[in-house]
Amino acid sequence: MTQSASMKPGATPVSLQTFGSFFVGGHKAETIDQTLEEYVLAPNGVPVAINPNGTTSVGQMYVQYLLGDTGMHQAPVVFCHGGSMTGTVWESTPDGRTGWLHDFFFSGWNVYNVDAVERGRAGWAPGHPAFSSKPILRTHQDTFTQFRIGSRVEDVSLTSLKAAAYPMSQFPLHAFGQFMKQVVPRWAGTDELISAAYIELLNQFEKPVILVAHSQGGSFVMRAAEQAPDKVAAIVLIEPAQAGTREGLETLALKDVPMLVVYGDHLDLDARWPSIRKRTDAYFKTLSADGGKVDFLDLPQNGVFGNSHLPMLELNNLEVSKLIKNWLIDNLS
Amino acid sequence: MTQSASMKPGATPVSLQTFGSFFVGGHKAETIDQTLEEYVLAPNGVPVAINPNGTTSVGQMYVQYLLGDTGMHQAPVVFCHGGSMTGTVWESTPDGRTGWLHDFFFSGWNVYNVDAVERGRAGWAPGHPAFSSKPILRTHQDTFTQFRIGSRVEDVSLTSLKAAAYPMSQFPLHAFGQFMKQVVPRWAGTDELISAAYIELLNQFEKPVILVAHSQGGSFVMRAAEQAPDKVAAIVLIEPAQAGTREGLETLALKDVPMLVVYGDHLDLDARWPSIRKRTDAYFKTLSADGGKVDFLDLPQNGVFGNSHLPMLELNNLEVSKLIKNWLIDNLS
């Protein structure tokens, strides 16, 4: 990444009205009866006594936004990252091109970008039961396979990555190491905290929003949308790890919400994705048969080949987002 | 925080050319001979085998930027948060007003905002020696005192906070709980990683930048600036926890860089700040006597009262930033 590479300007400057961030959700937790601790927090620094007893915050979600002067499209887009990821995944690509956040904003949408509980600027709470399990940081090797960029690699040299990448791979392989810098630790016991914060986020909005969710984010978005369907204008799911709940299907809470489910390439070459998709497809097909508005965008079936689990940052990322933007315009106008 | 409260628009929309993020610094670390682990990462999800062995990333820094169409001021501003903080501290205030990042951008500066190593979107690396110490998450009570908002409190009800706040406090006390949601864990052993990433960040810039650093960020900024003084147009230090090094003073590497050292109110009521300031003042006065360009902005001495260690988000935050912007214009034109 060089300064000039990352700062390729948009085609046309857009009028920015405001930007900023806020937190939603979370609660206070109390710690008692722990021993006082003293730390030197800077080289040659003055020792600081830190008392672990007291009140801490746990379970909050971070939300960043950019609002244009005159939104061409009425409903704003809320981007919801997947597991091991933060909102970074929607910003620039690891090889320094513009991401979907930029693309949607410069196409006239107001945009929100979250860091869910435990990730990124949302922070996490050591000592809280939800964080008592071992934090998991995916390795380069594990990510390369689990995110379906290619088959198992032992070393992560560019030569090995190129040899292992699936046919016609759209991943910017020379920037794979740069991509891995955005992978953050996750925990196995935080789903309820994350889900609660997503519901609180939806309830903050005065008007319905478009939810664009990736992988694990799809699970939280569907659960939150079932609780607040009147706050959802549309849902776009990029390879969701989970669909909605059976209770949601029974009440058909989301029957009137247009949904687009997007899949990349090479699911058949992966150990997990055929079974994940079979389960989510069953949900969406039942919803559709009962009057739901579900569309599927299978990229290779539409002549777009080589995408992994991360189409938002691959070489054809703006080709994929154009299909999504067109679907939104067709379904929301 | 309500949607309407947080999204108060700027006075005049500004032309945004591009925005995005990138990572600098860090290195690869190898894990070997650990046992395979299996996790269920979503309710009723397909079990995922996670192999902790392999390559991970450690020590990278996250950098977000907004670039205007026509920068009124040539040198961009890089915002560098303090300890327990992320780049969030410069965005919106906890009571939903605009922060310094917004203020500088809408005043014509291009802006960069970092999450240093271990914090926010930069992520951290469980298992790496730098993260082997216990993560520290400051309590509400500890933060209220250490960040010099007021005297020791036991409970954090608004009544107690108001009673304990220092005279004429500028802190938005009713939003103290909201502020605490942006406090993230830190570690005692990560200074060298953070410092190395800051040096790499400076070296990425083609032209000199203005560094605005808070507290612990001041220490890293000064050390990095000593290594790459040609990349630094000016330094603004908000209550720095540390100044530069003795070696830096001896070589006078930063003699030609204009510096502004900003202090809030009530240092005399605090257990730590008189000794911290005595040490940093000694450095800056020596630098100044040897030809350095150091100015001090002691807010109460300039008739601005009641600021804590966090002037960037207090009720008069735009009054303070105006003084800083004026100093920059006077010293860089």
Side-chain angles (χ1 to χ4, degrees), chain A residues 6 14 21 55 62 64-65 91, chain B residues 6 21 62 64-65 91 140:
Chain A
S6 77
V14 160
S21 64
T55 311
Y62 168 85
Q64 195 171 44
Y65 57 86
E91 294 185 322
Chain B
S6 77
S21 64
Y62 168 84
Q64 196 171 44
Y65 57 86
E91 293 184 324
H140 291 226

Side-chain angles (χ1 to χ4, degrees), chain A residues 1 3 6 14 16 21 23 25 37 43 55 57 62 64-65 91 134 140-141 178 181 191 204 206, chain B residues 1 3 6 14 16 21 23 25 37 43 55 57 62 64-65 91 134 140-141 178 181 191 204 206:
Chain A
M1 214 306 302
Q3 190 184 6
S6 77
V14 160
L16 178 70
S21 64
F23 288 85
E37 294 160 356
T55 311
S57 300
Y62 168 85
Q64 195 171 44
Y65 57 86
E91 294 185 322
K134 192 176 168 185
H140 291 226
Q141 290 86 348
Q178 196 66 17
K181 294 181 181 181
D191 273 16
Q204 293 268 336
E206 287 160 13
Chain B
M1 214 307 304
Q3 189 184 6
S6 77
V14 160
L16 178 69
S21 64
F23 289 84
E37 293 160 356
T55 311
S57 300
Y62 168 84
Q64 196 171 44
Y65 57 86
E91 293 184 324
K134 192 175 167 184
H140 291 226
Q141 289 85 348
Q178 196 65 16
K181 294 181 182 182
D191 273 17
Q204 294 267 338
E206 286 159 12

Side-chain angles (χ1 to χ4, degrees), chain B residues 200-270:
Chain B
E200 195 151 340
L201 171 63
L202 277 189
N203 283 321
Q204 294 267 338
F205 289 106
E206 286 159 12
K207 294 180 179 177
V209 298
I210 298 162
L211 297 165
V212 176
H214 177 224
S215 194
Q216 184 201 32
S219 161
F220 297 119
V221 153
M222 290 297 291
R223 289 166 72 185
E226 286 175 356
Q227 301 297 315
D230 56 314
K231 297 298 177 73
V232 185
I235 301 177
V236 178
L237 299 162
I238 314 299
E239 299 205 349
Q242 295 261 316
T245 67
R246 186 182 300 175
E247 296 72 29
L249 263 186
E250 283 166 359
T251 61
L252 286 173
L254 297 176
K255 189 169 67 69
D256 299 325
V257 174
M259 294 184 202
L260 182 66
V261 189
V262 182
Y263 279 101
D265 207 346
H266 305 309
L267 271 74
D268 54 319
L269 300 177
D270 188 79

